[in-house]
Amino acid sequence: MSSSQRRLQVLRAIVIEYVNSKEPVSSKTVASSYVTGVSSATIRNDMAALEEGGLIRQPHTSAGRIPTEAGYRIFVDYLDLSTAQVAHNRALLAAQLESVESLEDVIERAVRVLAKLTGQAAVAELPEIIPDRVRRVELVDLDEVRLLVIVVTAAGGVFEGHLILPPELRGPDGSALRSVRDAINQALEGVAAGRVGEAASRGRELTRETDRQLYDLVSEVVQERLGSLETSRIVTAGAANLARAGVDFHDVARVLEVLEDQSALIGILHNVQLASVQVSIGAENLHEGLAGASLVSATYGSGGTITPHAELPLSHVGVIGPTRMDYGRSLAAVEAVSGYLSRLLLKQSGASWDVPVQSQEARKETE
């Protein structure tokens, strides 16, 4: 074994022991329980090299060592995710969620299970699980100044908006209204609420040039009325776990404030790369409220072999906790939950799934 390989083992031992004991780790503990066949003096030299490299530190004189954020990063990068642990977590999820019928209820309960499995705070974004779609747009000429725009969705929603016409468009004739109505229905019928803006811009070309100003105004009203259907929501659970782990945070109140802020959480999750399970540690988190925390997250709703026309929503799920967390446990739990939710959405879409659980090493090779 080379000295670099041994030092990686020493770092791994310090992380695991510190996570379990909450106490600084001595060279004697590493030599007796983790890296056997090597003298304590050699381990001390390795620890000195790791400290010089900024991967561990000594919290106070005569104490053992604890990992730094850089040390946790190296540990996570070389962590081999246990497929057996992921499979066990998925089986547990299936057992606890099989009687739940609503997809929203499934996600909410899965978040509670995730918080229990990890001992951290769990978060999940509720996706546009069954996108509401435009069924019909109607235009009613109330008078020369006002136009009523009515949007009916496939889910039975009816949204009304009043359009005050500019002077040059007041008193539109029936031909103009029919032209705009027919064009916007041709462009938007069956389109998901979140894609109305893109589809409406294409439909503009279907309108007579003389009616395009009116078309643009009607399109703006439709997009405004359907805007509420595009709002993401966040489900959280396990905030009490962080309160109990307050000693691991410099300021746990800041982390709890983030958990209470829906818009902040949505921003944090949307800044995460669309990839398999990953970890951001301490200063790697862009939001200052999580500067002393770690986020283990994954996307769900896509993966495997998907039919070309399947429109599956992409959302995020993860856990937030102190940098001194059990990363193996958290990674396995987040992987299990994201995989379970993805399978559920894929099953509803009629697509298939054929992606096996990958180790960290395999994921790094494919990214």
Side-chain angles (χ1 to χ4, degrees):
M1 179 188 301
S2 67
S3 59
S4 61
Q5 289 174 321
R6 188 180 64 248
R7 286 170 186 168
L8 186 60
Q9 284 197 351
V10 171
L11 175 63
R12 178 178 178 274
I14 291 172
V15 171
I16 293 173
E17 183 66 23
Y18 180 60
V19 167
N20 291 334
S21 70
K22 301 184 182 181
E23 298 292 337
V25 183
S26 67
S27 58
K28 182 178 179 181
T29 299
V30 175
S32 62
S33 302
Y34 294 93
V35 186
T36 58
V38 181
S39 68
S40 292
T42 300
I43 298 298
R44 283 195 294 273
N45 289 336
D46 290 336
M47 290 173 72
L50 291 171
E51 188 170 7
E52 185 177 351
L55 302 181
I56 61 175
R57 65 183 180 89
Q58 191 174 28
H60 50 80
T61 307
S62 302
R65 306 302 194 275
I66 64 175
T68 64
E69 288 183 7
Y72 284 124
R73 167 50 59 198
I74 296 296
F75 172 81
V76 169
D77 287 346
Y78 284 90
L79 181 63
D80 189 17
L81 190 59
S82 167
T83 56
Q85 190 173 6
V86 173
H88 172 76
N89 288 338
R90 283 185 183 157
L92 188 150
L93 276 167
Q96 296 200 26
L97 302 179
E98 62 179 355
S99 61
V100 184
E101 296 183 0
S102 162
L103 281 173
E104 185 170 332
D105 288 344
V106 167
I107 294 171
E108 290 178 350
R109 187 173 296 186
V111 169
R112 293 197 294 272
V113 174
L114 181 57
K116 186 175 181 180
L117 285 172
T118 61
Q120 313 298 342
V123 300
E125 180 184 10
L126 287 175
E128 194 181 355
I129 299 171
I130 304 175
D132 202 356
R133 299 176 183 276
V134 177
R135 174 177 289 172
R136 186 76 181 164
V137 177
E138 291 292 345
L139 305 179
V140 179
D141 185 9
L142 298 177
D143 53 42
E144 289 191 351
V145 176
R146 295 178 302 151
L147 187 67
L148 177 63
V149 180
I150 303 173
V151 186
V152 182
T153 69
V158 178
F159 302 84
E160 297 182 356
H162 287 84
L163 173 58
I164 305 299
L165 296 170
E168 65 271 21
L169 294 181
R170 287 176 181 173
D173 60 30
S175 174
L177 288 180
R178 286 193 298 273
S179 171
V180 171
R181 182 197 62 198
D182 292 347
I184 204 162
N185 276 300
Q186 187 174 344
L188 300 186
E189 185 178 1
V191 172
R195 297 185 177 181
V196 162
E198 177 185 354
S201 65
R202 293 195 302 266
R204 190 175 190 273
E205 302 303 317
L206 303 173
T207 313
R208 297 182 311 194
E209 188 171 350
T210 54
D211 298 329
R212 286 179 181 173
Q213 185 181 356
L214 179 59
Y215 178 93
D216 291 340
L217 293 172
V218 171
S219 173
E220 288 176 9
V221 173
V222 173
Q223 292 178 62
E224 180 185 344
R225 301 311 296 157
L226 294 181
S228 61
L229 298 180
E230 303 178 49
T231 304
S232 298
R233 288 190 293 142
I234 299 291
V235 178
T236 64
N241 292 333
L242 301 191
R244 286 191 288 268
V247 293
D248 289 317
F249 292 100
H250 176 67
D251 187 358
V252 69
R254 297 182 69 190
V255 183
L256 295 175
E257 286 172 1
V258 171
L259 285 172
E260 294 175 356
D261 188 338
Q262 289 259 330
S263 61
L265 281 174
I266 290 171
I268 290 166
L269 292 174
H270 285 193
N271 278 325
V272 174
Q273 296 178 358
L274 296 178
S276 55
V277 63
Q278 59 186 302
V279 182
S280 54
I281 302 169
E284 295 173 354
N285 291 301
L286 299 180
H287 194 288
E288 61 180 9
L290 298 185
S294 287
L295 168 66
V296 180
S297 61
T299 53
Y300 72 92
S302 180
T305 302
I306 305 175
T307 56
H309 300 292
E311 295 180 1
L312 298 175
L314 271 177
S315 298
H316 302 78
V317 63
V319 296
I320 296 172
T323 55
R324 191 197 66 82
M325 73 160 62
D326 187 334
Y327 288 98
R329 182 181 178 186
S330 295
L331 280 159
V334 171
E335 177 97 9
V337 171
S338 64
Y340 181 89
L341 295 178
S342 290
R343 282 173 164 81
L344 197 61
L345 295 180
L346 286 163
K347 183 178 179 181
Q348 284 214 341
S349 74
S352 62
W353 173 285
D354 61 1
V355 175
V357 176
Q358 294 179 307
S359 67
Q360 290 285 90
E361 293 285 340
R363 278 196 296 273
K364 284 189 288 184
E365 291 177 2
T366 57
E367 291 176 354

